[in-house]
Amino acid sequence: MNVAQMNEARVLKNGDRERRTKRRFEIEQEVRYKMLYGQRIAETGTGKTMNISSGGVWFSTETMLTAGMPVELSMNWPVLLNDSCPMKLMIYGCVIRSSDKGAAVAIERYEFRTQGSRAFPPTPHQSVELRMLG
């Protein structure tokens, strides 16, 4: 595929050109959000991600969020690390657009956190006996 063909593919259904430069993935996952006001949490809520890219995320919200506010998002990642370890994606960014249907957040940074392995079920603690020799 050459550059001209790639540009043709980036035309929306209504005929407008796609302005986004990052590829979006339709990932629908539960998400928790915290609106931050300095070091304090101003508002919390839950929603669902609709799509996500390396530059931003669009998700449903319980209320309209304030544009320009910093936000922290937390979602379970749909793929296991090494086929056994669940991960959580933490997204830190800023609300750039919001409506009664959802909000768009520009991603400033993100990190994956592991949530423990499913490969090894918890085992009961075994008692250990210590003896002095000699």
Short mmCIF file of all heavy atoms in Angstrom, two decimals, residues 93-128:
data_model
loop_
_atom_site.label_atom_id
_atom_site.label_comp_id
_atom_site.label_asym_id
_atom_site.label_seq_id
_atom_site.Cartn_x
_atom_site.Cartn_y
_atom_site.Cartn_z
N GLY A 93 -3.84 11.68 32.02
CA GLY A 93 -3.98 12.64 30.94
C GLY A 93 -4.88 13.79 31.31
O GLY A 93 -5.09 14.09 32.49
N CYS A 94 -5.45 14.39 30.28
CA CYS A 94 -6.27 15.58 30.44
C CYS A 94 -7.52 15.44 29.58
O CYS A 94 -7.44 14.99 28.44
CB CYS A 94 -5.44 16.79 30.00
SG CYS A 94 -6.23 18.36 30.34
N VAL A 95 -8.67 15.83 30.14
CA VAL A 95 -9.92 15.79 29.38
C VAL A 95 -9.85 16.87 28.31
O VAL A 95 -9.61 18.04 28.61
CB VAL A 95 -11.14 16.05 30.30
CG1 VAL A 95 -12.43 16.08 29.50
CG2 VAL A 95 -11.22 14.99 31.39
N ILE A 96 -10.02 16.47 27.04
CA ILE A 96 -9.99 17.47 25.97
C ILE A 96 -11.37 17.76 25.41
O ILE A 96 -11.59 18.80 24.80
CB ILE A 96 -9.03 17.05 24.83
CG1 ILE A 96 -9.39 15.69 24.28
CG2 ILE A 96 -7.60 17.11 25.29
CD1 ILE A 96 -8.61 15.30 23.04
N ARG A 97 -12.31 16.82 25.64
CA ARG A 97 -13.66 17.01 25.13
C ARG A 97 -14.61 16.14 25.95
O ARG A 97 -14.25 15.04 26.35
CB ARG A 97 -13.70 16.60 23.66
CG ARG A 97 -14.97 16.84 22.93
CD ARG A 97 -14.84 16.54 21.43
NE ARG A 97 -14.70 15.12 21.15
CZ ARG A 97 -13.60 14.49 20.77
NH1 ARG A 97 -12.48 15.17 20.62
NH2 ARG A 97 -13.57 13.21 20.51
N SER A 98 -15.82 16.64 26.21
CA SER A 98 -16.78 15.85 26.97
C SER A 98 -18.20 16.20 26.53
O SER A 98 -18.47 17.33 26.13
CB SER A 98 -16.62 16.14 28.47
OG SER A 98 -17.49 15.33 29.22
N SER A 99 -19.07 15.19 26.58
CA SER A 99 -20.49 15.39 26.29
C SER A 99 -21.27 14.52 27.25
O SER A 99 -20.69 13.86 28.12
CB SER A 99 -20.80 15.00 24.83
OG SER A 99 -20.71 13.59 24.68
N ASP A 100 -22.59 14.47 27.08
CA ASP A 100 -23.38 13.60 27.96
C ASP A 100 -23.18 12.13 27.62
O ASP A 100 -23.57 11.25 28.37
CB ASP A 100 -24.85 13.97 27.90
CG ASP A 100 -25.42 13.90 26.49
OD1 ASP A 100 -24.65 13.84 25.53
OD2 ASP A 100 -26.67 13.89 26.37
N LYS A 101 -22.54 11.83 26.50
CA LYS A 101 -22.28 10.45 26.08
C LYS A 101 -20.91 9.93 26.53
O LYS A 101 -20.72 8.74 26.69
CB LYS A 101 -22.38 10.33 24.57
CG LYS A 101 -23.77 10.54 24.03
CD LYS A 101 -23.78 10.23 22.56
CE LYS A 101 -25.02 10.35 21.83
NZ LYS A 101 -26.24 10.72 22.17
N GLY A 102 -19.94 10.84 26.70
CA GLY A 102 -18.61 10.38 27.09
C GLY A 102 -17.59 11.49 27.06
O GLY A 102 -17.93 12.66 26.90
N ALA A 103 -16.33 11.08 27.22
CA ALA A 103 -15.24 12.05 27.26
C ALA A 103 -14.05 11.52 26.48
O ALA A 103 -13.83 10.32 26.38
CB ALA A 103 -14.83 12.31 28.71
N ALA A 104 -13.28 12.46 25.94
CA ALA A 104 -12.03 12.16 25.25
C ALA A 104 -10.89 12.66 26.13
O ALA A 104 -10.93 13.79 26.63
CB ALA A 104 -11.99 12.83 23.89
N VAL A 105 -9.91 11.80 26.33
CA VAL A 105 -8.75 12.14 27.16
C VAL A 105 -7.49 12.02 26.31
O VAL A 105 -7.29 11.01 25.63
CB VAL A 105 -8.65 11.21 28.38
CG1 VAL A 105 -7.33 11.37 29.11
CG2 VAL A 105 -9.81 11.46 29.34
N ALA A 106 -6.67 13.07 26.32
CA ALA A 106 -5.35 13.02 25.69
C ALA A 106 -4.40 12.36 26.67
O ALA A 106 -4.30 12.78 27.83
CB ALA A 106 -4.88 14.43 25.35
N ILE A 107 -3.73 11.31 26.23
CA ILE A 107 -2.84 10.56 27.11
C ILE A 107 -1.50 11.29 27.22
O ILE A 107 -0.84 11.54 26.23
CB ILE A 107 -2.62 9.12 26.58
CG1 ILE A 107 -3.94 8.36 26.57
CG2 ILE A 107 -1.57 8.39 27.42
CD1 ILE A 107 -3.86 6.98 25.91
N GLU A 108 -1.13 11.61 28.46
CA GLU A 108 0.18 12.22 28.73
C GLU A 108 1.20 11.15 29.09
O GLU A 108 2.36 11.23 28.71
CB GLU A 108 0.05 13.26 29.84
CG GLU A 108 -0.81 14.44 29.39
CD GLU A 108 -1.15 15.40 30.53
OE1 GLU A 108 -0.62 15.22 31.66
OE2 GLU A 108 -1.94 16.32 30.29
N ARG A 109 0.76 10.14 29.85
CA ARG A 109 1.61 9.00 30.15
C ARG A 109 0.73 7.83 30.55
O ARG A 109 -0.44 8.01 30.91
CB ARG A 109 2.65 9.31 31.23
CG ARG A 109 2.11 9.51 32.60
CD ARG A 109 3.25 9.86 33.58
NE ARG A 109 2.71 10.06 34.90
CZ ARG A 109 2.55 9.11 35.81
NH1 ARG A 109 2.93 7.87 35.54
NH2 ARG A 109 2.05 9.37 37.00
N TYR A 110 1.30 6.63 30.49
CA TYR A 110 0.56 5.44 30.89
C TYR A 110 1.53 4.42 31.44
O TYR A 110 2.75 4.50 31.23
CB TYR A 110 -0.23 4.86 29.71
CG TYR A 110 0.63 4.34 28.60
CD1 TYR A 110 1.05 3.01 28.58
CD2 TYR A 110 1.04 5.18 27.56
CE1 TYR A 110 1.86 2.54 27.55
CE2 TYR A 110 1.85 4.71 26.54
CZ TYR A 110 2.25 3.39 26.55
OH TYR A 110 3.04 2.93 25.54
N GLU A 111 1.00 3.46 32.17
CA GLU A 111 1.82 2.37 32.68
C GLU A 111 0.96 1.13 32.85
O GLU A 111 -0.23 1.22 33.13
CB GLU A 111 2.50 2.74 34.00
CG GLU A 111 1.54 3.04 35.13
CD GLU A 111 2.25 3.60 36.36
OE1 GLU A 111 2.96 4.61 36.24
OE2 GLU A 111 2.05 3.02 37.44
N PHE A 112 1.58 -0.02 32.66
CA PHE A 112 0.93 -1.30 32.91
C PHE A 112 1.35 -1.78 34.29
O PHE A 112 2.52 -1.68 34.65
CB PHE A 112 1.33 -2.34 31.86
CG PHE A 112 0.66 -2.14 30.54
CD1 PHE A 112 1.30 -1.46 29.52
CD2 PHE A 112 -0.62 -2.63 30.32
CE1 PHE A 112 0.68 -1.27 28.29
CE2 PHE A 112 -1.24 -2.45 29.10
CZ PHE A 112 -0.60 -1.78 28.09
N ARG A 113 0.39 -2.30 35.04
CA ARG A 113 0.67 -2.88 36.35
C ARG A 113 0.20 -4.33 36.35
O ARG A 113 -0.88 -4.63 35.84
CB ARG A 113 -0.05 -2.12 37.46
CG ARG A 113 0.42 -0.69 37.60
CD ARG A 113 -0.28 0.00 38.71
NE ARG A 113 0.16 1.39 38.81
CZ ARG A 113 -0.43 2.29 39.58
NH1 ARG A 113 -1.47 1.96 40.32
NH2 ARG A 113 0.03 3.51 39.62
N THR A 114 1.00 -5.20 36.92
CA THR A 114 0.59 -6.60 37.01
C THR A 114 -0.34 -6.75 38.20
O THR A 114 -0.28 -5.99 39.16
CB THR A 114 1.80 -7.53 37.16
OG1 THR A 114 2.54 -7.14 38.31
CG2 THR A 114 2.68 -7.49 35.92
N GLN A 115 -1.22 -7.78 38.11
CA GLN A 115 -2.19 -7.99 39.17
C GLN A 115 -2.08 -9.38 39.77
O GLN A 115 -3.05 -9.94 40.26
CB GLN A 115 -3.60 -7.80 38.62
CG GLN A 115 -3.83 -6.41 38.06
CD GLN A 115 -5.25 -6.24 37.64
OE1 GLN A 115 -6.14 -6.15 38.48
NE2 GLN A 115 -5.49 -6.19 36.35
N GLY A 116 -0.91 -10.01 39.70
CA GLY A 116 -0.72 -11.35 40.23
C GLY A 116 -0.96 -12.39 39.16
O GLY A 116 -1.65 -12.15 38.17
N SER A 117 -0.40 -13.55 39.35
CA SER A 117 -0.47 -14.60 38.34
C SER A 117 -1.65 -15.53 38.57
O SER A 117 -1.98 -15.87 39.69
CB SER A 117 0.82 -15.41 38.36
OG SER A 117 0.73 -16.48 37.46
N ARG A 118 -2.30 -15.95 37.48
CA ARG A 118 -3.37 -16.93 37.56
C ARG A 118 -2.82 -18.34 37.43
O ARG A 118 -3.52 -19.31 37.61
CB ARG A 118 -4.38 -16.70 36.43
CG ARG A 118 -5.19 -15.46 36.60
CD ARG A 118 -6.23 -15.38 35.50
NE ARG A 118 -6.93 -14.13 35.59
CZ ARG A 118 -7.67 -13.62 34.64
NH1 ARG A 118 -7.79 -14.25 33.49
NH2 ARG A 118 -8.30 -12.48 34.80
N ALA A 119 -1.55 -18.46 37.07
CA ALA A 119 -0.96 -19.77 36.81
C ALA A 119 -0.74 -20.56 38.10
O ALA A 119 -0.76 -21.77 38.09
CB ALA A 119 0.36 -19.61 36.08
N PHE A 120 -0.52 -19.86 39.20
CA PHE A 120 -0.24 -20.53 40.45
C PHE A 120 -1.33 -20.21 41.46
O PHE A 120 -1.33 -19.15 42.05
CB PHE A 120 1.12 -20.08 41.00
CG PHE A 120 2.23 -20.28 40.02
CD1 PHE A 120 2.79 -19.20 39.35
CD2 PHE A 120 2.70 -21.56 39.74
CE1 PHE A 120 3.80 -19.39 38.44
CE2 PHE A 120 3.72 -21.74 38.82
CZ PHE A 120 4.27 -20.66 38.16
N PRO A 121 -2.28 -21.15 41.67
CA PRO A 121 -3.34 -20.88 42.64
C PRO A 121 -2.74 -20.77 44.04
O PRO A 121 -1.71 -21.39 44.34
CB PRO A 121 -4.26 -22.10 42.52
CG PRO A 121 -3.44 -23.16 41.88
CD PRO A 121 -2.38 -22.46 41.08
N PRO A 122 -3.37 -19.97 44.91
CA PRO A 122 -2.83 -19.82 46.25
C PRO A 122 -2.82 -21.16 46.99
O PRO A 122 -3.75 -21.94 46.86
CB PRO A 122 -3.78 -18.82 46.91
CG PRO A 122 -4.92 -18.64 45.99
CD PRO A 122 -4.57 -19.24 44.68
N THR A 123 -1.75 -21.40 47.72
CA THR A 123 -1.65 -22.63 48.49
C THR A 123 -1.73 -22.29 49.97
O THR A 123 -1.28 -21.22 50.38
CB THR A 123 -0.31 -23.35 48.21
OG1 THR A 123 0.75 -22.46 48.52
CG2 THR A 123 -0.21 -23.80 46.77
N PRO A 124 -2.29 -23.20 50.77
CA PRO A 124 -2.35 -22.92 52.21
C PRO A 124 -0.93 -22.88 52.79
O PRO A 124 -0.03 -23.58 52.31
CB PRO A 124 -3.15 -24.09 52.78
CG PRO A 124 -3.27 -25.10 51.69
CD PRO A 124 -2.88 -24.45 50.39
N HIS A 125 -0.74 -22.04 53.79
CA HIS A 125 0.58 -21.94 54.42
C HIS A 125 0.89 -23.24 55.13
O HIS A 125 0.06 -23.79 55.84
CB HIS A 125 0.60 -20.77 55.42
CG HIS A 125 0.44 -19.45 54.76
ND1 HIS A 125 1.42 -18.89 53.98
CD2 HIS A 125 -0.59 -18.58 54.75
CE1 HIS A 125 0.99 -17.74 53.52
NE2 HIS A 125 -0.23 -17.52 53.98
N GLN A 126 2.09 -23.75 54.92
CA GLN A 126 2.52 -24.96 55.59
C GLN A 126 3.30 -24.58 56.84
O GLN A 126 4.04 -23.61 56.82
CB GLN A 126 3.38 -25.81 54.66
CG GLN A 126 2.64 -26.30 53.44
CD GLN A 126 3.57 -27.06 52.50
OE1 GLN A 126 4.77 -26.95 52.58
NE2 GLN A 126 2.95 -27.85 51.63
N SER A 127 3.10 -25.36 57.90
CA SER A 127 3.85 -25.08 59.11
C SER A 127 5.27 -25.60 58.94
O SER A 127 5.52 -26.60 58.29
CB SER A 127 3.18 -25.72 60.33
OG SER A 127 3.14 -27.11 60.15
N VAL A 128 6.20 -24.87 59.48
CA VAL A 128 7.61 -25.24 59.40
C VAL A 128 8.11 -25.48 60.81
O VAL A 128 7.86 -24.69 61.73
CB VAL A 128 8.43 -24.12 58.73
CG1 VAL A 128 9.91 -24.45 58.73
CG2 VAL A 128 7.92 -23.87 57.33
#
